[in-house]
């Protein structure tokens, strides 16, 4: 709630908070593929809802000031029932990425979308990796299994990132077309993911 006034004073310094959706996407990629990652410059309370979902799920999470350390050494379990909601609830902008992560987990995940309509367009593309996913009304049910590489098409920003996570956990090569959607929300994604050990490159075909 903002109460307007005639004049504002200057001289204020403000540092924008970190991108919690990019941070959450990397965490879910780590859970999906396994490995160890340190995220710097973050504030754990802002993404505590996601951290609660993944901690004690075949991975270890430690928070040190502005750093989050995550280690995933075995196949993760399903996430059970998850419902998106406005902040500080589970972010709708991490819903597709969680679904992609769940697609390769061991167990069942049900995600109910309460913020936006038609937020499951990515599911048909996710199925091309072999994902066992079914949409009913405002809920997608996912039963995890091993994924295989696929040629897919990103239809939107977050759904495109979900396809990246699926591709990283799938066996074999994958191609994600229409990557311009993904680049709108993830700066230098290929470089960052490559630095974590994934084999990824951007092409124009």
């Amino acid at each position: 709630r903002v109460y307007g006034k005639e004049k504002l004073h200057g001289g204020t310094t403000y540092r924008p908070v970190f991108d919690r959706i990019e941070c959450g996407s990397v965490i879910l990629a780590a859970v999906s593929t396994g490995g160890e990652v340190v995220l710097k410059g973050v504030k754990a309370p802002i993404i505590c809802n996601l951290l609660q979902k993944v901690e004690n799920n075949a991975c270890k999470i430690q928070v040190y000031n502005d750093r989050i350390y995550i280690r995933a050494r075995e196949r993760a379990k399903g996430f059970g029932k998850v419902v998106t909601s406005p902040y500080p609830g589970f972010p709708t902008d991490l819903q597709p990425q969680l679904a992609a992560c769940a697609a390769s987990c061991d167990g069942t995940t049900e995600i109910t979308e309460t913020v936006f309509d038609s937020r499951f367009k990515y599911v048909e593309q996710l199925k091309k990796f072999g994902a066992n996913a079914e949409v009913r009304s405002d809920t997608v049910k996912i039963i995890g299994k091993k994924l295989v590489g696929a040629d897919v098409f990103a239809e939107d920003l977050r759904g495109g990132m979900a396809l990246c996570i699926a591709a990283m956990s799938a066996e074999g090569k994958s191609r994600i077309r229409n990557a311009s959607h993904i680049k709108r929300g993830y700066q230098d994604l290929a470089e960052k993911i490559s630095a974590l050990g994934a084999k990824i490159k951007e092409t124009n075909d």
Side-chain angles (χ1 to χ4, degrees):
R1 179 175 295 178
V2 180
Y3 298 95
K5 56 187 301 184
E6 292 183 359
K7 185 178 181 181
L8 301 178
H9 65 81
T12 299
T13 299
Y14 173 74
R15 181 186 296 274
V17 298
F18 73 103
D19 187 334
R20 68 185 182 124
I21 304 303
E22 181 177 23
C23 176
S25 298
V26 174
I27 289 174
L28 289 169
V31 173
S32 180
T33 62
E36 299 183 41
V37 175
V38 176
L39 294 152
K40 302 178 181 179
V42 302
K43 293 183 178 179
I46 296 181
I47 57 167
C48 64
N49 202 291
L50 172 63
L51 295 180
Q52 291 170 357
K53 294 287 187 298
V54 301
E55 67 180 351
N56 301 320
N57 186 355
C59 64
K60 180 180 181 181
I61 293 177
Q62 294 178 313
V63 178
Y64 299 102
N65 297 322
D66 66 342
R67 298 188 180 195
I68 295 176
Y69 167 77
I70 178 169
R71 181 177 65 184
R73 290 291 181 86
E74 57 187 81
R75 189 178 180 189
K77 309 296 182 182
F79 297 98
K81 294 185 178 181
V82 180
V83 179
T84 67
S85 61
Y87 183 84
F90 189 87
T92 180
D93 278 350
L94 282 177
Q95 178 255 107
Q97 299 91 311
L98 180 68
C101 179
S104 62
C105 289
D106 184 13
T108 302
T109 302
E110 289 188 12
I111 309 174
T112 299
E113 175 60 50
T114 69
V115 180
F116 291 118
D117 295 328
S118 302
R119 201 81 201 262
F120 296 123
K121 293 181 179 179
Y122 66 90
V123 173
E124 289 304 312
Q125 297 297 314
L126 199 59
K127 288 181 179 180
K128 294 181 179 180
F129 292 98
N132 185 346
E134 180 182 6
V135 176
R136 291 185 178 179
S137 184
D138 59 355
T139 299
V140 58
K141 181 179 180 180
I142 304 151
I143 301 175
K145 58 181 293 190
K146 290 185 178 180
L147 305 181
V148 295
D151 193 322
V152 294
F153 187 87
E155 298 189 49
D156 57 57
L157 168 56
R158 306 306 176 185
M161 186 62 205
L163 299 180
C164 287
I165 292 175
M168 284 187 279
S169 62
E171 181 178 347
K173 295 182 180 180
S174 297
R175 182 188 300 269
I176 302 172
R177 303 181 186 275
N178 206 26
S180 58
H181 277 309
I182 306 170
K183 293 169 66 176
R184 289 193 297 109
Y186 297 89
Q187 184 176 13
D188 301 326
L189 177 63
E191 291 84 348
K192 292 175 181 177
I193 297 300
S194 294
L196 293 175
K199 295 180 179 179
I200 179 173
K201 67 178 181 178
E202 185 176 342
T203 63
N204 294 321
D205 57 344

